[in-house]
Amino acid sequence: MPHNRTSGLYLSPDAQSWRCTSTIDPRISHFHRRLPGFTATPLISLDSIAAELGVKRVFIKDETSRMGLPAFKILGASWATYRAVVHKAGLTVGAPLEAVSVAAQKAKIEFFAATDGNHGRAVARMAKLLGVRANIFTPAYLDRAALDLIASEGAQANAQAETAGGILVQDTAFEGYEEIPQWIVDGYSTMMDEVDQQVSAATGTFVDLAIIPVGVGSLAQSAVAHFKSTHHPTTLLAVEPESAACLKESLANGALTAISTGHTIMSGMNCGTVSSIAWPLLVNGIDASMSVSEIESHEAVQRLRSVGVNAGPCGAASLAALQIVARGDRDAVGLCADSVVVLFCTEGFREYDVPTGDALLGSK
């Protein structure tokens, strides 16, 4: 069972009434639907968990398999690589993928990315689809299995660049590098549209509380851009690892703040800086922010497995957060018996070191 503790929520009261205008390109979902193997991922109803926590419905957006990859990242990587090649080759947005592939090969384009797994593999998949090279730079601690998965997409890892036609594809924006990260964020809008349609079909209503795992904040940026541009007052709760809570620290400081991070089984969320283009939306549109411990994430992995969802630690963090706030801070995030909750499960299961000892003691 989850350990009893206070949630340590950081609350942003003004976010509930804050609204933005959606600028999402309607061509994005059309582009995704034409990709090989594309289908909407399931929205799974967790009825037993909803009953345990005293809410009307709990759904999990299951991104454990998206176009054959174990995470949602291909949505952003595909749109960003497509837009980058279209821009570089002087094509028009809407050009068929076949024409973009020919242009990319003619220009000898090579994609670059730095990653600990899922993002790099998604970039590599798009490079293979377009018939060009990908060079993925990985941290020294990345295990052989993850490297082999990147290589299975035809990419090289940590190789010397051999072309002047290189394009960096990263979701972390910084001064002078903002266009491609924005395209990545825009690509995630397909997932948000799916959630709306699936929740409406299942309940006839809207999402009351959405819980989003946060690394650099790109997925959360997409969630804010989507949910805060509608008329329904959806509450957005961001969740991070205790050892890498850069968004929560930034919100508490009222300014973008870089932090030092430590080891976490939630490796895809092990980020010390929020993306610069995400920050303006997150500081205004995130209603609450919290962190979860290693053991809380691990126990959420086990709980999800018991109901048939094969999530990894990052994907399970949203359930860990819900379990904590439902038992201690219900009013703060607007939870009640009529609430419809959506958890974003961002990755499928992967091997990790099960937390013990100090990790267990630290969460009590």
Side-chain angles (χ1 to χ4, degrees):
M1 293 293 292
H3 302 281
N4 293 324
R5 55 96 150 175
T6 58
S7 64
L9 277 177
Y10 178 84
L11 297 173
S12 301
D14 293 340
Q16 191 65 33
S17 60
W18 184 82
R19 290 293 179 269
C20 61
T21 301
S22 175
T23 58
I24 295 302
D25 190 333
R27 294 172 293 189
I28 297 173
S29 60
H30 177 69
F31 164 79
H32 281 143
R33 288 195 298 271
R34 295 170 62 190
L35 292 176
F38 177 84
T39 186
T41 55
L43 186 77
I44 299 172
S45 184
L46 304 178
D47 296 339
S48 60
I49 292 176
E52 289 172 13
L53 301 180
V55 297
K56 183 177 182 179
R57 301 294 294 270
V58 174
F59 295 100
I60 190 161
K61 183 57 172 168
D62 184 0
E63 294 290 324
T64 60
S65 180
R66 172 71 80 167
M67 285 185 271
L69 296 176
F72 70 102
K73 296 286 190 176
I74 188 67
L75 290 175
S78 60
W79 181 246
T81 52
Y82 171 82
R83 287 297 306 268
V85 174
V86 163
H87 177 74
K88 193 174 185 71
L91 301 175
T92 58
V93 178
L97 200 62
E98 296 78 10
V100 176
S101 174
V102 170
Q105 293 173 44
K106 184 177 180 180
K108 296 183 178 180
I109 284 173
E110 180 177 3
F111 295 124
F112 297 89
T115 179
D116 66 356
N118 289 324
H119 172 70
R121 192 175 172 192
V123 172
R125 171 68 62 87
M126 283 306 298
K128 181 166 67 173
L129 189 59
L130 294 172
V132 299
R133 289 164 46 93
N135 191 357
I136 309 302
F137 294 89
T138 62
Y141 61 76
L142 197 66
D143 59 66
R144 173 48 56 184
L147 290 170
D148 289 344
L149 287 171
I150 291 172
S152 73
E153 302 294 340
Q156 292 183 296
N158 307 307
Q160 181 71 31
E162 297 181 5
T163 175
I167 297 176
L168 176 65
V169 184
Q170 287 294 124
D171 59 358
T172 306
F174 49 85
E175 186 175 355
Y177 182 75
E178 297 177 335
E179 193 168 43
I180 286 176
Q182 184 61 56
W183 287 334
I184 290 175
V185 172
D186 292 345
Y188 298 152
S189 64
T190 293
M191 188 198 320
M192 303 301 159
D193 289 338
E194 289 175 5
V195 167
D196 274 354
Q197 294 163 12
Q198 290 166 327
V199 169
S200 178
T203 69
T205 59
F206 304 94
V207 181
D208 297 312
L209 172 64
I211 305 182
I212 311 106
V214 170
V216 298
S218 296
L219 180 61
Q221 179 187 349
S222 179
V224 170
H226 178 82
F227 289 108
K228 296 298 184 178
S229 64
T230 67
H231 296 297
H232 186 74
T234 300
T235 298
L236 300 180
L237 170 59
V239 57
E240 300 171 280
E242 285 183 343
S243 60
C246 60
L247 174 59
K248 185 180 177 185
E249 184 74 13
S250 295
L251 291 172
N253 291 339
L256 198 57
T257 303
I259 64 169
S260 297
T261 67
H263 172 76
T264 174
I265 61 172
M266 294 166 274
S267 56
M269 300 157 67
N270 191 6
C271 304
T273 307
V274 173
S275 174
S276 63
I277 60 171
W279 174 243
L281 271 76
L282 302 186
V283 70
N284 287 297
I286 290 293
D287 296 275
S289 177
M290 64 178 292
S291 59
V292 296
S293 70
E294 305 291 279
I295 194 66
E296 287 162 346
S297 172
H298 170 63
E299 289 179 340
V301 167
Q302 295 177 306
R303 183 68 179 95
L304 286 174
R305 186 180 300 172
S306 75
V307 294
V309 180
N310 201 29
C314 294
S318 54
L319 174 59
L322 175 62
Q323 290 174 317
I324 294 163
V325 297
R327 293 185 170 100
D329 281 294
R330 297 175 68 88
D331 292 343
V333 294
L335 275 183
C336 67
D338 292 326
S339 294
V340 174
V341 181
V342 170
L343 311 175
F344 283 87
C345 176
T346 52
E347 67 166 357
F349 182 79
R350 54 178 171 75
E351 296 297 328
Y352 59 89
D353 294 330
V354 174
T356 57
D358 291 342
L360 178 60
L361 294 172
S363 66
K364 292 183 177 179

